[in-house]
Amino acid sequence: VTIGLTHYLALAGAIFVTGLVGVLTRRNTLILFMCIELMLSAANLVFAAFSRQWGDASGHVFVLMSFAVAAAEAAIGLAILVEIHRLRRTVNVDDLKTLME
Amino acid sequence: MIEGIVFWLCGGLMLLGGIMTVVSRSAVGAAIWLIFAFLNAAGLFALLSAPFLAVLQVLVYAGAIMVLFLFVIMMLHGPVLGAELRPQGRWVWPAVALPAASLLISGAILLGGGGGGGFRAAAPAGFGRAERVAALLLDRYLLAFELISVVLLVAIVGAVALGLAPRRQS
């Protein structure tokens, strides 16, 4: 079977769902961040696959934007995480419920 | 033929890396497995005639972002990194149902003969190389390019401001 768009979409879907399951089940904020990066990566794969399908490099530009946003998100998120750890001595999302109570 | 082999190898290993990230007991282990997944994603980008993205995937994701993750993991030493693989009761059902549904749908489409014909056309010569992407980036998407640099600048300033925040309680 020749590899086509559908294979990439199926793979990206599987990877996205893996990240989603991680976000739903893990309680460690660091690992939650990593699962979000995994989901972003699956979206990048879809962009590149559609770009290849239509022979238009615009998808590559969108992936570059996604890289930049992921880098910004990781930098800010981890800085906030370090600050939370300094104040609360925990990175478990179940312990960070102040806004809910 | 060779394309199929590389796709199933890189794709399978990337999925394995993602799954190991999710089930890994320690944060360091999860980060290492995620780097492994990103390296395989770079292989998939190369297979998709996107060599520039493949290089950037290794440099930016597997390099910069994951080094930042590992740096923070090392900084937050201690019991906060302990593994908690105890799924919350409320989220167990979606966590089981989502992968099952995803597997069922993709399997049905792929086994049903969908997508067997490969891509629509062969990639144009030089497709996905840095100069092609740069030509688009600095012409049609110039505004987005400038805005994303502003986003990065704001992120830098924000991260420095958070890092320099005065000790409020001590």
Side-chain angles (χ1 to χ4, degrees):
Chain A
V1 177
T2 322
I3 300 300
L5 180 64
T6 319
H7 296 83
Y8 283 96
L9 293 185
L11 176 67
I15 291 166
F16 188 90
V17 166
T18 308
L20 192 58
V21 168
V23 170
L24 290 178
T25 56
R26 301 305 300 258
R27 302 288 99 196
N28 185 334
T29 318
L30 276 164
I31 294 180
L32 289 194
F33 267 124
M34 291 184 210
C35 293
I36 291 171
E37 300 287 342
L38 200 61
M39 289 196 281
L40 280 172
S41 207
N44 290 343
L45 206 56
V46 173
F47 268 129
F50 269 106
S51 207
R52 170 74 181 76
Q53 169 86 341
W54 299 106
D56 182 347
S58 291
H60 295 183
V61 176
F62 297 144
V63 175
L64 284 182
M65 302 292 157
S66 162
F67 280 174
V69 170
E73 174 243 327
I76 293 288
L78 290 174
I80 292 174
L81 197 64
V82 169
E83 196 67 10
I84 287 174
H85 180 257
R86 195 183 278 158
L87 290 173
R88 307 282 298 270
R89 291 285 141 202
T90 178
V91 290
N92 189 319
V93 288
D94 285 338
D95 299 337
L96 303 173
K97 282 183 174 164
T98 319
L99 282 179
M100 276 171 65
E101 285 159 0
Chain B
M1 186 60 203
I2 190 87
E3 195 189 356
I5 295 171
V6 175
F7 173 81
W8 290 115
L9 195 71
C10 282
L13 288 179
M14 186 182 177
L15 193 57
L16 173 76
I19 291 170
M20 292 307 290
T21 304
V22 169
V23 303
S24 177
R25 306 285 302 178
S26 79
V28 177
I32 299 293
W33 276 111
L34 194 57
I35 292 173
F36 180 71
F38 284 158
L39 290 178
N40 284 296
L44 287 174
F45 279 139
L47 193 63
L48 278 167
S49 328
F52 182 53
L53 289 185
V55 171
L56 274 188
Q57 173 84 14
V58 174
L59 280 181
V60 175
Y61 258 114
I65 295 183
M66 292 319 292
V67 166
L68 189 65
F69 267 97
L70 282 172
F71 182 72
V72 170
I73 291 170
M74 301 298 170
M75 233 167 86
L76 305 183
H77 54 85
V80 291
L81 303 180
E84 25 59 57
L85 217 50
R86 168 185 55 89
Q88 300 301 99
R90 207 177 356 154
W91 297 113
V92 167
W93 280 112
V96 174
L98 279 171
S102 153
L103 210 65
L104 214 65
I105 293 170
S106 346
I109 291 172
L110 286 178
L111 291 180
F119 284 106
R120 252 175 90 251
F127 179 73
R129 291 181 56 184
E131 59 260 39
R132 296 296 175 89
V133 181
L136 272 177
L137 199 59
L138 296 177
D139 180 25
R140 206 197 305 175
Y141 298 104
L142 182 62
L143 181 64
F145 180 63
E146 295 293 343
L147 286 177
I148 206 73
S149 57
V150 174
V151 167
L152 282 176
L153 180 68
V154 171
I156 294 169
V157 173
V160 171
L162 281 168
L164 290 180
R167 306 289 163 274
R168 279 170 289 269
Q169 323 226 311
S170 59

